[in-house]
Amino acid sequence: MTFSIAAHDGEAWGVAVASRFLAVGSVVPRVVPGRCALATQAMARVAYLDEVEDGLLEGLTAAAALERATAGDAGREDRQVGVVGADGAATFTGSGCMHWAGGEAAGDSQTAFAVQGNILTGPEVVEAMVSAWHAHRGHALDARLLAVLLAGDAAGGDARGRQSAALLVKAPGAGYDGCGVVADLRVDDHPEAPTELARVHGLSTLYFGTAEDVEPLTGPLRDEVSRLLAAAGHAGPVEPALEAWMGEVNLETRHSPGAIDRRVLAVLRGSPTG
């Protein structure tokens, strides 16, 4: 009753998932950078997350760790699992999963994915997700996984409709204060959950991203920023006033000394989405 992608690309590892199921992000994903990205679904056995990760820790390949975990489970034919390890990826769909169900996995030690879904409108959902994975090569993994999820949704997604979605991406040293979390976002109950997840991801990127496209605070731009800051209650020398305002509105990760990030400028001008 879910469609998902588990993947890694370089040092970034993640899972994106959507379903006609409440709070799917509380059940399906596990991400450990450098080790695994896992998705357990259908009649989900949450213990698979520990069992597969343990296998990978012991040095098993993704396929072997998945085979060992599912082999001893009497309910395996009603379950679905996607596994990405340091060597590549594997996916399993039990014969008892509700139609349409299936998946595809590919990759190596540099980049890999496992796409899977059950109770889908048809195989076109998985096909669209795989195509989107390849089409978005070179994008940051969080954006890439979100594009894959939206492609699956646009192709039909869960045959029963929409309710929840989640995106979990980690990479060493990334995220707020270098905590390693690129994105940890959930939409637990929403009639357009994948689209809502994309909206929340846009906000996450704004508030937790670092300066990308900056302009020097000189000339007319400096004067404009000074006026806007004064109107926002931060009069005084531009640089300290700007830094203080950015901290107040939770944009401090985009601070760039002597310059202003284009998305910060958009917010200051009154456009919250940049």
Side-chain angles (χ1 to χ4, degrees):
M1 46 195 174
T2 301
F3 57 102
S4 68
I5 176 169
H8 90 87
D9 191 3
E11 292 191 325
W13 298 65
V15 174
V17 57
S19 182
R20 182 68 170 84
F21 182 87
L22 182 69
V24 70
S26 68
V27 176
V28 169
R30 173 168 297 176
V31 175
V32 181
R35 185 183 306 163
C36 63
L38 310 173
T40 180
Q41 55 199 54
M43 296 296 287
R45 176 177 162 83
V46 178
Y48 277 162
L49 299 175
D50 288 333
E51 293 165 357
V52 174
E53 184 183 352
D54 288 346
L56 294 171
L57 271 171
E58 292 170 23
L60 297 180
T61 65
L66 178 57
E67 173 58 30
R68 188 175 78 174
T70 56
D73 176 21
R76 60 176 278 163
E77 297 306 333
D78 295 318
R79 311 197 198 281
Q80 193 171 50
V81 194
V83 180
V84 172
D87 70 301
T91 187
F92 169 80
T93 299
S95 61
C97 287
M98 295 184 187
H99 190 75
W100 187 88
E104 182 177 335
D108 52 31
S109 61
Q110 299 303 308
T111 183
F113 72 87
V115 167
Q116 47 281 315
N118 60 93
I119 319 186
L120 303 182
T121 56
E124 66 276 2
V125 177
V126 168
E127 292 166 3
M129 293 173 74
V130 172
S131 293
W133 169 258
H134 293 301
H136 289 80
R137 183 182 290 107
H139 291 232
L141 186 61
D142 55 326
R144 192 176 186 185
L145 295 186
L146 183 59
V148 170
L149 198 71
L150 292 174
D153 182 64
D158 189 321
R160 302 162 307 158
R162 305 174 178 92
Q163 187 170 10
S164 66
L167 177 66
L168 178 60
V169 179
K170 299 181 180 182
Y176 191 88
D177 199 32
C179 67
V181 178
V182 178
D184 186 359
L185 307 172
R186 283 173 40 178
V187 174
D188 286 345
D189 186 21
H190 193 284
E192 298 294 337
T195 303
E196 177 65 4
L197 182 66
R199 185 188 72 82
V200 175
H201 176 261
L203 293 175
S204 176
T205 302
L206 170 64
Y207 288 112
F208 302 132
T210 55
E212 303 167 67
D213 183 7
V214 300
E215 295 183 55
L217 280 170
T218 58
L221 178 60
R222 186 183 184 87
D223 294 339
E224 178 192 5
V225 169
S226 180
R227 288 194 304 271
L228 292 171
L229 288 170
H234 288 271
V238 174
E239 281 85 355
L242 178 60
E243 186 172 4
W245 173 81
M246 289 176 68
E248 182 179 290
V249 297
N250 301 320
L251 290 170
E252 62 272 16
T253 63
R254 288 184 173 272
H255 181 252
S256 181
I260 187 168
D261 176 271
R262 65 176 179 81
R263 296 190 69 176
V264 172
L265 180 59
V267 175
L268 186 59
R269 286 171 169 167
S271 174
T273 60

